[in-house]
Amino acid sequence: MKFDLEAKDAASKARAGKITLGHGIVETPIFMPVGTVASVKGVHQRELKEDINPDIILGNTYHLYLRPQTDILEKAGGLHKFMGWDRNILTDSGGYQVYSLSANRKIKEEGVKFKSHIDGSYHFFSPERAMEIQRSIGADIIMAFDECTPYPCDYRYAQRSMHMTHRWLDRCVEHLKKVPEKYDYPQTLFPIVQGSVYKDLRKQSAEYIAGAGAAGNAIGGLSVGEPAEEMYAMTEVVCDILPEDKPRYLMGVGTPVNILENIALGVDMFDCVMPTRNARNGMLFTANGIINIKNKKWEDDFSPVDEMGITFVDTQYSKAYLRHLFAANEYLGKQIATIHNLGFYLWLVREARKHILAGDFYRWKNEMVPRLGQRL
């Protein structure tokens, strides 16, 4: 992996860069659509590539391990070939899913024993096993195994968990040396900064992660219920420590406003289920604010879904028609909303990139933030 830092914003810590990976170049800042089970929900790969047009998408180690299982992925030649996607993929390590299964898992130093949400069978993830599974899946960027702490979280628990995440990282790094890549392109490991919302722990963790010398670094354990101000404070602490010449990935974030504010703090990469999940519930994100398309006010509004026309659905369909599809519980409504939201998120990060390169990002960001958060 190669990262080229192309520009920095004079009035903030925003950056524009390029990451070169095995399946092409990723221009940053970037948003990665979430394709949990080898599919971005409700979107064909053709629409994903031609209309939404991300340089990289995300897959999920926990879900892909359980179904279709790694032997199927290996027989297919890896996740890219299995799902018909020829651009980059990042896989998380399963740590977040293990965190979300709090009632059905047990964490020890060796790793995590958990119960499948599919059939109740028991499984065990260790740092070593997470590396083996991600080798089989074959993503371009793979994540170190970590524990994502909940919010709120006791200081001592956060501290113990952080140190264990660091020990697990060391085990990931050592084991990767013994497990060769399975396909004809390189894989890059990103370690993950933890420490909950405690500034001293975040500082310690960022220093440890920076010291690991990885090609890129991630920030985990945020966007788990803490106030946005705390998220921004932790991100700022960490970004000030992580190396400037390597990409920074803030995991699981967030709203359009969250994304712009974190770009301003020095983050390069984002992923979140929000644009797809909220789309399926009728929430549309636009440059002028948030639309709940289920509201009666759109019933006879025959204007385009979004006049900006970022994707084909924005001008092909009207708000009234989209509202009707949701009222009729028609699948097409969810698909239209999903394509719109993902197209908008990609437009937003690419517009941010343009303004960083042009030198006026901070002014543009401050104009956009109040608009993005308002309800229409």
Side-chain angles (χ1 to χ4, degrees):
M1 190 195 94
K2 181 168 172 274
F3 179 60
D4 296 304
L5 190 57
E6 296 176 291
K8 293 193 285 183
D9 181 53
S12 72
K13 295 168 187 172
R15 313 117 58 80
K18 280 186 182 173
I19 306 170
T20 306
L21 294 164
H23 288 86
I25 289 172
V26 177
E27 293 189 333
T28 64
I30 190 66
F31 178 81
M32 301 179 281
V34 176
T36 304
V37 293
S39 163
V40 176
K41 273 190 173 64
V43 181
H44 287 287
Q45 269 69 302
R46 179 175 174 178
E47 294 165 332
L48 191 61
K49 188 172 179 178
E50 295 181 7
D51 299 308
I52 298 159
N53 192 28
D55 301 328
I56 181 169
I57 63 171
L58 191 120
N60 186 283
T61 293
Y62 163 84
H63 286 282
L64 294 169
Y65 159 79
L66 290 175
R67 189 169 52 193
Q69 301 183 355
T70 50
D71 61 329
I72 299 295
L73 292 171
E74 285 191 20
K75 284 178 187 173
L79 180 58
H80 292 84
K81 289 183 177 173
F82 181 66
M83 69 180 289
W85 179 251
D86 61 2
R87 296 186 186 178
N88 296 295
I89 300 175
L90 178 150
T91 43
D92 65 10
S93 67
Y96 180 79
Q97 275 60 45
V98 164
Y99 144 80
S100 63
L101 291 167
S102 55
N104 293 305
R105 51 97 166 126
K106 187 157 190 173
I107 301 171
K108 294 183 175 179
E109 184 68 33
E110 298 77 38
V112 182
K113 183 181 181 182
F114 62 91
K115 195 157 90 168
S116 164
H117 73 286
I118 299 168
D119 60 9
S121 57
Y122 281 95
H123 302 267
F124 182 75
F125 272 13
S126 63
E128 292 80 9
R129 188 76 185 106
M131 295 301 97
E132 291 166 5
I133 294 165
Q134 289 185 89
R135 283 288 200 227
S136 295
I137 294 170
D140 302 272
I141 297 175
I142 63 178
M143 304 304 297
F145 194 56
D146 68 323
E147 186 196 355
C148 176
T149 49
Y151 178 86
C153 178
D154 170 78
Y155 181 88
R156 286 187 179 179
Y157 184 94
Q159 187 178 42
R160 285 197 307 272
S161 174
M162 177 196 74
H163 286 305
M164 185 171 68
T165 287
H166 295 168
R167 292 191 295 274
W168 283 0
L169 168 62
D170 295 341
R171 286 166 60 185
C172 288
V173 170
E174 282 308 304
H175 197 64
L176 269 186
K177 295 173 185 173
K178 304 170 192 170
V179 185
E181 290 155 348
K182 298 195 172 184
Y183 310 108
D184 60 351
Y185 51 87
Q187 291 183 296
T188 302
L189 177 72
F190 278 26
I192 303 171
V193 176
Q194 287 291 350
S196 188
V197 292
Y198 300 104
K199 189 173 179 179
D200 62 322
L201 297 183
R202 284 286 173 181
K203 188 170 181 294
Q204 276 183 57
S205 190
E207 287 167 352
Y208 193 93
I209 295 312
N217 300 294
I219 306 166
L222 294 175
S223 197
V224 292
E226 79 284 353
E229 294 69 31
E230 294 206 39
M231 179 208 302
Y232 302 146
M234 296 305 106
T235 300
E236 185 169 26
V237 167
V238 171
C239 284
D240 285 349
I241 295 168
L242 291 179
E244 191 178 64
D245 61 346
K246 295 172 180 181
R248 303 168 185 147
Y249 163 33
L250 180 56
M251 305 178 76
V253 175
T255 67
V257 169
N258 292 158
I259 286 173
L260 290 193
E261 294 292 7
N262 281 297
I263 287 173
L265 296 172
V267 174
D268 308 295
M269 303 168 69
F270 301 87
D271 80 283
C272 190
V273 297
M274 186 170 278
T276 47
R277 182 176 290 166
N278 288 27
R280 296 193 299 276
N281 292 315
M283 181 183 282
L284 307 181
F285 297 99
T286 78
N288 293 311
I290 299 164
I291 293 172
N292 180 353
I293 203 66
K294 293 180 179 180
N295 286 349
K296 188 172 176 62
K297 68 184 289 186
W298 310 114
E299 186 176 37
D300 60 353
D301 186 330
F302 302 106
S303 66
V305 169
D306 187 349
E307 287 83 355
M308 283 179 65
I310 296 163
T311 66
F312 76 96
V313 300
D314 295 338
T315 50
Q316 185 159 348
Y317 306 108
S318 71
K319 293 183 181 78
Y321 178 64
L322 184 54
R323 182 190 182 277
H324 156 72
L325 294 177
F326 272 93
N329 199 26
E330 168 55 53
Y331 288 141
L332 180 60
K334 300 179 195 297
Q335 290 179 297
I336 290 169
T338 299
I339 292 168
H340 162 77
N341 276 355
L342 288 174
F344 174 72
Y345 266 61
L346 267 298
W347 172 85
L348 186 68
V349 292
R350 286 181 171 141
E351 201 67 12
R353 176 183 165 83
K354 283 182 196 170
H355 285 282
I356 295 166
L357 293 170
D360 65 349
F361 167 79
Y362 192 66
R363 179 185 57 76
W364 171 79
K365 187 267 292 184
N366 288 340
E367 288 171 2
M368 285 296 293
V369 163
R371 289 166 53 193
L372 290 169
Q374 66 187 358
R375 297 276 173 159
L376 298 176

